[in-house]
Structure formats: structure tokens, C-alpha cells
């Protein structure tokens, strides 16, 4: 049986060049970057090299980069770190209803600690309106956190416009760009954004490493206390091999961005066309925004069949897809993103997220569409 992986938004295979780079670091270096001896100095040089490379690629200063354990920690550090630095009580934060739980649950925690949070709605394509964000601003608003691109439906948000609004009102702006890195044109210098979250394992890097870019002048309290690493913003011995792998992954992701976008757009179109051919246009609906979307994510509902049944049947055919974010996949919970988009009940309960990545081919799209056609026919009987 063929095995097809269409869940790259949950986690992606490590690129061979990334694995090679990590192996080189793991087998040649073992000093602690904080030690003063030659082994420590070598380790420090290695981490600095990776930091310089990533900073140059992302368009930030090396000292603006804080290495973390991934997107979740970056989101937590951005939101809590800023709010704690400004004093939590009585402060107001604006976010959206379709954020990843790493942002939503952090905001809920802020509320328990005396902050006020406004969750702005989205339209039925999953897009936030700049006017809604503007209307939510109060005198005590200190942070806006809105994701770059949504991990479930792929909708891209008006980040530049929200950033300009935030800047004009003296409000800090954080964006979770975990899914956007490597498919959207991101240069931190060119956007009015103060804090950016990134994660390595979504771009063919290792799991358990990521970064928060913190623009100079942005206040940030640490969440972890201990050593003086990351300029006192994130204590703990650096994940040296992971960071080296992350640097390689960022390099590969940004080098091939145009081709990758074109390839994913092609895969997306192929899967939709083949589904029309195999099962008919009226058997499915595409969820998300037809204009502002990341091409690697395709969210489709097959209203005749529940999400769980379709995922199970696809899995039996060797095809891995998801119901939404990784944390909710496999559970019966309906996605908060699709709910926020106010989709009809049968669309909500039958959504599947296909996400493309390294190694996927148009032949796999044909095969997947054929199998979906067969599954639909079999279940109709
Ligand atoms: C938009 C978004 N933010 C944050 C995260 C969490 O990242 P990590 O798995 O690196 O903690 C994810 C992971 O799915 C995501 O899609």
C-alpha cells in the first residue's frame, strides 16, 4: 500500500541537508556555549553562526533573535513577556478567535491574571478585518496579537495593515508566523511587527526548536529564569544542534520559496480538479479565503461524511491528513476556527485539512482523489 503524508502543517520531515548539518554539529561539538574554555568558545561560535545566518535570512538583527523550544514557547514568551514587562493588571490585549491554542490559551491565562482581552471575530473565510481591530482598541490596549496565516484553513491575515494601525496608536504587535515561514514573503524589517513567532519543524527542521524575533525597544520579561543565555530573555543551555538544523532549514525554506509556492499551488489545484473529476464538484466545499491563502494548506469538507470517518478511511488507504490543528486531530472536538467562520453544521463536522510539503507529487494528488472517490462511494452504500 502507498503511504502518502499530507499533514506537513502538523510536522514535516527533516530535510536531508538539515540532518547532515545537525549530525556534523552533534558529532563534532559538545561544549557548553557558556563555558569559557576552548570547547565552550567553539560551541558559542557555532550558535552565533546560526544566529547570524537566521537573522540575515529573516531580516532582523542577531540580537533580536531569541531561540526557543518552538512556536508554542515563542507565542507564550511574546505575549506573557510583553505583558509582564508592562505590568499585567488593567492592561488590554487584542487577539482573534482563530489563533492557535498557543496564543488563545495564553490570552485566557492573562485574563485570569487581571488583563482584559478582546477576541476579534473573523468572516466566513477566516479573515480578520482591520476595522474590527481598530474598533477594539482602548486607551489601555498594549498588545495586538494576530497570526500571519491560519494553520487550519490557511487564510492569510492583513498583517501589514494591522501593524500600521498598531504602530500609529503606539501598541506593540505580535504575529504568529509559524505556518507562514517558507511560503509567505517574510522579512521582519519590512513589516511593522514588533514580535514574530517561528518554529523549525514546520519547515523541514528538527522538532523542539524555534525562535521569537523581538524588535529592539520592545519590552520583554523572561518566562524562564536561570542562566544569562539569549541576553537574559530565555535561560537554559542552547539547543546547539537543533539551532544549527533550524538555520539550515530556514536557508532552504527561503532559497526555494518561489518554486515551493508554485509547486504547492499546483498540488492544491490538482487535488481539487481530481476531486471534481472523481466524485463531482457538489460532493465537497473548500474552506478558507479564495484570495488570501497559504498554498500548502487546503481545508475541504465532504458534507456527507464526518471528519473522523473520512480520516479513518484515508488512514486505512495509507493517506495521512488532519482534522485541524495537531492538538485537536483525532478528537471529536469541532475546530474553533471553523466554528468562528460560522460554517453550516455539516461543513463543520466534515472538514479535513490536507497540508503539502517536501516530497509530495501531483501523482499523489491523483491517488488521494481516487481514494476519496472510492471512500465516498463505499460509504454511500
Ligand atoms: C500557527 C501555529 N502556531 C503555533 C504552533 C505551535 O508550534 P510548535 O509545535 O513548534 O510548538 C503551531 C503548530 O501547529 C501552529 O500551527
Amino acid at each position: 500500500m502507498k503511504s502518502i503524508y499530507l499533514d506537513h502543517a502538523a510536522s514535516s520531515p527533516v530535510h536531508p541537508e538539515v540532518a547532515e548539518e545537525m549530525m556534523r554539529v552533534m558529532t563534532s561539538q559538545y561544549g557548553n556555549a557558556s563555558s569559557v574554555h576552548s570547547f565552550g568558545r567553539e560551541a558559542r561560535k557555532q550558535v552565533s553562526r546560526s544566529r547570524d545566518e537566521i537573522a540575515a535570512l529573516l531580516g532582523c538583527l542577531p540580537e533580536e533573535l531569541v531561540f526557543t523550544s518552538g512556536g508554542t514557547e515563542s507565542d507564550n514568551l511574546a505575549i506573557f513577556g510583553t505583558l509582564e514587562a508592562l505590568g499585567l493588571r488593567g492592561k488590554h490585549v487584542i487577539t482573534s478567535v482563530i489563533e492557535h491554542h498557543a496564543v488563545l490559551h495564553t490570552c485566557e491565562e492573562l485574563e485570569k491574571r487581571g488583563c482584559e482581552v478582546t477576541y476579534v471575530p473573523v468572516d466566513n473565510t477566516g479573515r480578520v478585518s482591520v476595522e474590527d481591530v481598530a474598533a477594539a482598541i482602548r486607551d489601555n490596549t498594549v498588545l495586538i496579537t494576530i497570526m500571519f496565516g491560519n494553520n487550519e484553513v490557511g487564510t492569510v491575515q492583513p498583517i501589514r495593515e494591522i501593524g500600521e494601525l498598531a504602530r500609529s496608536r503606539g501598541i506593540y504587535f505580535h504575529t504568529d508566523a509559524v505556518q507562514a515561514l517558507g511560503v509567505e514573503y517574510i522579512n521582519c524589517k519590512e513589516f511593522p511587527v514588533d514580535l514574530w513567532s517561528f518554529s523549525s519543524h514546520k519547515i523541514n527542521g528538527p522538532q523542539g526548536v524555534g525562535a521569537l524575533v523581538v524588535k529592539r525597544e520592545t519590552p520583554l520579561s523572561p518566562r524562564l529564569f536561570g542562566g544569562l543565555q539569549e541576553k537574559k530573555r530565555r535561560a537554559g543551555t542552547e539547543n546547539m544542534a537543533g539551532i544549527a538544523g533550524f538555520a539550515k532549514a530556514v536557508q532552504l525554506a527561503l532559497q526555494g520559496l518561489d518554486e515551493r509556492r508554485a509547486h504547492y499551488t499546483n498540488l492544491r489545484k490538482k487535488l481539487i480538479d481530481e476531486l471534481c473529476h472523481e466524485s463531482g464538484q457538489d460532493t465537497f466545499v473548500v474552506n478558507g479565503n479564495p484570495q488570501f491563502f497559504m498554498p500548502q494548506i487546503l481545508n475541504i469538507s465532504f458534507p456527507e461524511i464526518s471528519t473522523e470517518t473520512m480520516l479513518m478511511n484515508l488512514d486505512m488507504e495509507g493517506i495521512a491528513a488532519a482534522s485541524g490543528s495537531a492538538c485537536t486531530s483525532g478528537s471529536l472536538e469541532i475546530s474553533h476556527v471553523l466554528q468562528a467562520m460560522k460554517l453550516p453544521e455539516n461543513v463543520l463536522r466534515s472538514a479535513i485539512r490536507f497540508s503539502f510539503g517536501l516530497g509530495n507529487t501531483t501523482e499523489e494528488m491523483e491517488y488521494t482523489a481516487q481514494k476519496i472517490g472510492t471512500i465516498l462511494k463505499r460509504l454511500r452504500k
Side-chain angles (χ1 to χ4, degrees), residues 189-381:
K189 259 200 315 286
E190 289 169 8
F191 279 86
V193 173
D194 302 297
L195 302 125
W196 297 81
S197 294
F198 298 111
S199 175
S200 148
H201 71 115
K202 312 291 185 180
I203 56 161
N204 308 115
Q207 296 181 343
V209 57
L212 178 69
V213 171
V214 189
K215 284 257 173 82
R216 267 205 293 206
E217 319 286 320
T218 308
L220 193 85
S221 288
R223 304 292 301 146
L224 296 181
F225 300 90
L228 306 178
Q229 291 92 351
E230 302 301 301
K231 299 202 181 299
K232 297 196 209 159
R233 293 166 298 187
R234 202 269 188 182
T237 301
E238 297 85 347
N239 174 3
M240 181 168 46
I243 290 169
F246 182 29
K248 183 50 118 181
V250 175
Q251 184 202 329
L252 294 167
L254 299 195
Q255 257 172 13
L257 196 141
D258 285 333
E259 298 82 62
R260 197 167 331 97
R261 272 189 75 88
H263 180 50
Y264 296 161
T265 305
N266 195 25
L267 293 179
R268 191 186 158 87
K269 181 172 180 314
K270 183 76 180 166
L271 184 53
I272 294 174
D273 288 351
E274 290 295 319
L275 278 172
C276 283
H277 175 68
E278 289 293 334
S279 61
Q281 206 167 358
D282 53 350
T283 59
F284 67 93
V285 282
V286 176
N287 303 312
N289 191 293
Q291 187 183 357
F292 304 104
F293 64 88
M294 299 183 291
Q296 85 278 25
I297 292 179
L298 177 59
N299 193 303
I300 299 186
S301 290
F302 302 92
E304 290 171 80
I305 297 187
S306 77
T307 302
E308 290 70 30
T309 307
M310 181 57 97
L311 282 180
M312 234 165 49
N313 278 273
L314 284 171
D315 190 34
M316 284 190 302
E317 301 288 357
I319 299 163
S323 63
S325 65
C327 336
T328 50
S329 61
S331 80
L332 291 171
E333 220 174 283
I334 292 183
S335 140
H336 67 284
V337 175
L338 299 173
Q339 265 176 329
M341 288 161 64
K342 299 198 169 62
L343 301 178
E345 191 70 16
N346 59 351
V347 174
L348 280 184
R349 295 192 175 275
S350 61
I352 305 286
R353 178 188 70 182
F354 299 97
S355 52
F356 314 125
L358 189 65
N360 285 144
T361 61
T362 47
E363 290 72 36
E364 288 179 337
M365 300 304 116
E366 272 172 40
Y367 183 83
T368 300
Q370 275 167 16
K371 291 298 173 194
I372 292 173
T374 313
I375 292 167
L376 287 171
K377 276 187 210 120
R378 188 167 64 224
L379 293 177
R380 263 183 221 136
K381 280 189 199 156

Side-chain angles (χ1 to χ4, degrees), residues 9-10 70-73 75 100 102 147 149 151 176 178-179 199 201-202:
T72 301
E73 189 189 330
D75 286 343
H100 189 273
M147 71 200 319
N151 49 302
D176 173 339
V178 163
Q179 295 290 347
S199 175
H201 71 115
K202 312 291 185 180

Side-chain angles (χ1 to χ4, degrees), residues 33-272:
S34 300
S35 301
V36 290
H37 48 60
S38 61
F39 295 84
R41 288 198 303 276
E42 280 308 307
R44 171 157 294 273
K45 260 195 244 162
Q46 173 58 52
V47 174
S48 297
R49 221 172 10 245
S50 301
R51 189 188 306 282
D52 291 347
E53 280 166 18
I54 297 177
L57 289 160
L58 293 180
C60 66
L61 298 170
E63 61 268 29
E64 289 176 330
L65 205 51
V66 180
F67 288 121
T68 65
S69 63
T72 301
E73 189 189 330
S74 297
D75 286 343
N76 273 260
L77 179 59
I79 299 168
F80 254 110
T82 310
L83 264 292
E84 235 156 30
L86 297 170
L88 288 161
R89 290 224 150 259
K91 299 289 191 301
H92 178 238
V93 174
I94 299 172
T95 188
S96 84
V97 284
I98 48 102
E99 299 297 308
H100 189 273
H101 285 133
V103 166
L104 284 180
H105 290 167
T106 304
C107 286
E108 286 163 17
E109 191 57 37
L110 281 182
E111 288 185 277
K112 289 185 197 148
R113 301 187 191 195
C115 284
E116 295 163 16
V117 181
T118 299
Y119 301 85
V120 295
V122 289
D123 64 15
N124 62 5
T125 73
R127 205 153 196 256
V128 167
S129 100
V130 185
E131 291 72 33
D132 284 342
V133 178
I137 294 176
R138 304 179 190 165
D139 290 344
N140 59 344
T141 307
V142 292
L143 179 74
I144 298 174
T145 169
I146 305 275
M147 71 200 319
F148 204 107
N150 182 264
N151 49 302
E152 294 193 35
V153 292
T155 302
V156 173
Q157 304 301 334
I159 291 307
R160 195 177 293 283
E161 292 83 347
I162 297 172
E164 277 158 9
L165 170 70
R167 203 143 277 184
S168 73
R169 304 290 293 268
I171 299 166
Y172 293 105
F173 182 37
H174 165 244
T175 190
D176 173 339
V178 163
Q179 295 290 347
L181 185 61
V183 284
E184 293 297 315
Y185 297 93
I186 289 177
N187 185 309
C188 298
K189 259 200 315 286
E190 289 169 8
F191 279 86
V193 173
D194 302 297
L195 302 125
W196 297 81
S197 294
F198 298 111
S199 175
S200 148
H201 71 115
K202 312 291 185 180
I203 56 161
N204 308 115
Q207 296 181 343
V209 57
L212 178 69
V213 171
V214 189
K215 284 257 173 82
R216 267 205 293 206
E217 319 286 320
T218 308
L220 193 85
S221 288
R223 304 292 301 146
L224 296 181
F225 300 90
L228 306 178
Q229 291 92 351
E230 302 301 301
K231 299 202 181 299
K232 297 196 209 159
R233 293 166 298 187
R234 202 269 188 182
T237 301
E238 297 85 347
N239 174 3
M240 181 168 46
I243 290 169
F246 182 29
K248 183 50 118 181
V250 175
Q251 184 202 329
L252 294 167
L254 299 195
Q255 257 172 13
L257 196 141
D258 285 333
E259 298 82 62
R260 197 167 331 97
R261 272 189 75 88
H263 180 50
Y264 296 161
T265 305
N266 195 25
L267 293 179
R268 191 186 158 87
K269 181 172 180 314
K270 183 76 180 166
L271 184 53
I272 294 174

